[in-house]
């Protein structure tokens, strides 16, 4: 595992040199990513928190029943309680078409500004790669962010992770070099599934990035761990791309001088 935080690189007995990981990353033709807390602060959590600022929700007994239940569930079970509480929240509050439309339009309008630093520049480094979200979020929210971030496929309500991964690989059968991003514990099952596909030969290569919220969320099974800031990784990819261009420019200069040709 290699840690890449902000603009500092800290290697702790890495299984693989950073250069080798970047080599494999540059061959990426399919990006599979989580959405919440991987590309942007969790839209699901922001929807729930926003109810604390709305008088109509603060006066709602159903909201407080959910909020109190959620508080104690999180106290007892921590991060593992989030999925179940999100399911309850969706069923209770987002089944209302008017509320759902309000939340969808709100997130669509703020998706670009809410992206983690460097995220869109990171995606720009892979212009030919297909991109797919596997998210437990609802279709309307996941598709809003996917549209803004230029994704090709959205698998929402992805509680069956095996089925979700399979649907992405089936959608792009000729894409075999996979880059996977997730936020550690909640996405380790997707990483495990992808490793199985690599072992079986369904995909050729796999690079995994853990987008961690502090040291407590670092997961040793991922190749690379970054915090919620992609700028250091973007800098590395750009420097590598610039180095690759130097020999080509030198060859062009040599050919121009040898044949007295003018580059167009």
């Amino acid at each position: 595992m290699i840690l890449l935080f902000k603009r500092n690189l800290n290697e702790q007995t890495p299984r693989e040199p950073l250069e080798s990981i970047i080599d494999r990353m540059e061959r990426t033709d399919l990006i599979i990513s989580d959405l919440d807390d991987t590309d942007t602060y969790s839209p699901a959590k922001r929807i729930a928190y926003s109810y604390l600022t709305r008088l109509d929700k603060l006066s709602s007994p159903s909201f407080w029943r959910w909020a109190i239940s959620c508080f104690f569930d999180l106290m007892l079970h921590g991060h593992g309680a989030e999925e179940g509480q999100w399911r309850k929240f969706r069923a209770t509050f987002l089944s209302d078409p008017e509320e759902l439309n309000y939340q969808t339009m709100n997130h669509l309008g703020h998706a670009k500004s809410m992206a983690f630093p460097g995220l869109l520049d990171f995606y720009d480094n892979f212009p030919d790669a297909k991109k797919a979200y596997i998210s437990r979020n609802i279709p309307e929210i996941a598709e809003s962010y996917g549209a803004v971030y230029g994704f090709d496929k959205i698998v929402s309500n992805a509680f069956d992770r095996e089925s979700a991964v399979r649907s992405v690989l089936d959608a792009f059968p000729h894409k075999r070099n996979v880059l996977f991003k997730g936020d550690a514990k909640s996405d380790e099952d997707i990483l495990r599934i992808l490793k199985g596909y690599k072992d079986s030969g369904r995909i050729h290569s796999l690079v995994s990035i853990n987008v961690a919220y502090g040291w407590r969320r670092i997961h040793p099974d991922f190749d690379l761990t970054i915090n919620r800031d992609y700028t250091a990784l973007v800098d590395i990819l750009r420097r590598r791309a610039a180095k690759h261009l130097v020999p080509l420019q030198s060859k062009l200069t040599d050919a121009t001088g040898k044949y007295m040709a003018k580059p167009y």
Side-chain angles (χ1 to χ4, degrees), residues 25-264:
M25 191 182 299
E26 289 179 332
R27 296 197 295 271
T28 296
D29 56 18
L30 174 60
I31 297 173
I32 300 175
S33 182
D34 176 46
L35 171 61
D36 291 50
D37 291 328
T38 297
D39 279 3
T40 179
Y41 289 107
S42 172
K45 294 175 185 175
R46 292 210 306 274
I47 291 173
Y49 291 150
S50 72
Y51 277 35
L52 295 172
T53 65
R54 294 171 55 179
L55 292 177
D56 60 327
K57 302 304 178 185
L58 288 175
S59 60
S60 168
S62 61
F63 171 68
W64 284 109
R65 282 195 296 270
W66 173 82
I68 293 170
S69 169
C70 180
F71 173 79
F72 284 108
D73 199 7
L74 290 172
M75 289 291 290
L76 290 172
H77 303 105
H79 189 64
E82 292 181 356
E83 178 180 318
Q85 289 298 330
W86 173 237
R87 287 197 191 207
K88 292 178 182 177
F89 185 93
R90 293 186 317 166
T92 305
F93 303 107
L94 297 183
S95 58
D96 176 10
E98 185 175 341
E99 175 66 13
L100 179 57
N101 182 66
Y102 167 78
Q103 293 292 349
T104 300
M105 297 308 296
N106 183 49
H107 282 267
L108 184 61
H110 293 90
K112 187 173 183 179
S113 64
M114 295 302 295
F116 285 151
L119 173 74
L120 300 182
D121 291 330
F122 173 79
Y123 285 139
D124 284 344
N125 281 276
F126 305 95
D128 299 322
K130 295 294 184 180
K131 300 194 291 293
Y133 270 137
I134 295 180
S135 173
R136 293 185 176 99
N137 217 316
I138 57 177
E140 293 81 0
I141 297 297
E143 289 169 8
S144 295
Y145 283 87
V148 174
Y149 298 165
F151 272 63
D152 303 283
K153 182 175 178 62
I154 312 295
V155 183
S156 54
N157 291 331
F159 298 103
D160 183 342
R161 312 297 256 176
E162 179 76 49
S163 175
V165 172
R166 186 167 58 250
S167 70
V168 171
L169 296 182
D170 288 346
F172 308 109
H174 302 297
K175 302 296 184 180
R176 302 295 185 89
N177 300 302
V178 177
L179 169 63
F180 170 63
K181 300 191 290 91
D183 59 319
K185 191 70 175 179
S186 61
D187 294 308
E188 65 181 359
D189 49 353
I190 295 181
L191 178 58
R192 172 184 52 78
I193 293 164
L194 286 170
K195 285 183 175 181
Y197 279 118
K198 182 178 181 299
D199 291 341
S200 70
R202 176 75 181 271
I203 59 178
H204 294 160
S205 69
L206 173 64
V207 177
S208 55
I209 300 176
N210 169 24
V211 183
Y213 177 52
W215 296 97
R216 293 182 181 180
R217 295 293 177 88
I218 290 174
H219 197 297
D221 291 345
F222 285 74
D223 296 312
L224 188 66
T225 293
I226 66 173
N227 63 356
R228 293 169 172 179
D229 186 335
Y230 287 75
T231 54
L233 185 53
V234 169
D235 287 346
I236 290 173
L237 290 169
R238 285 176 172 173
R239 288 200 300 269
R240 282 289 298 268
K243 287 181 180 179
H244 290 169
L245 290 175
V246 171
L248 296 177
Q249 184 61 43
S250 298
K251 290 179 181 179
L252 177 60
T253 301
D254 292 344
T256 301
K258 182 177 180 180
Y259 298 104
M260 300 301 290
K262 295 181 179 181
Y264 290 91

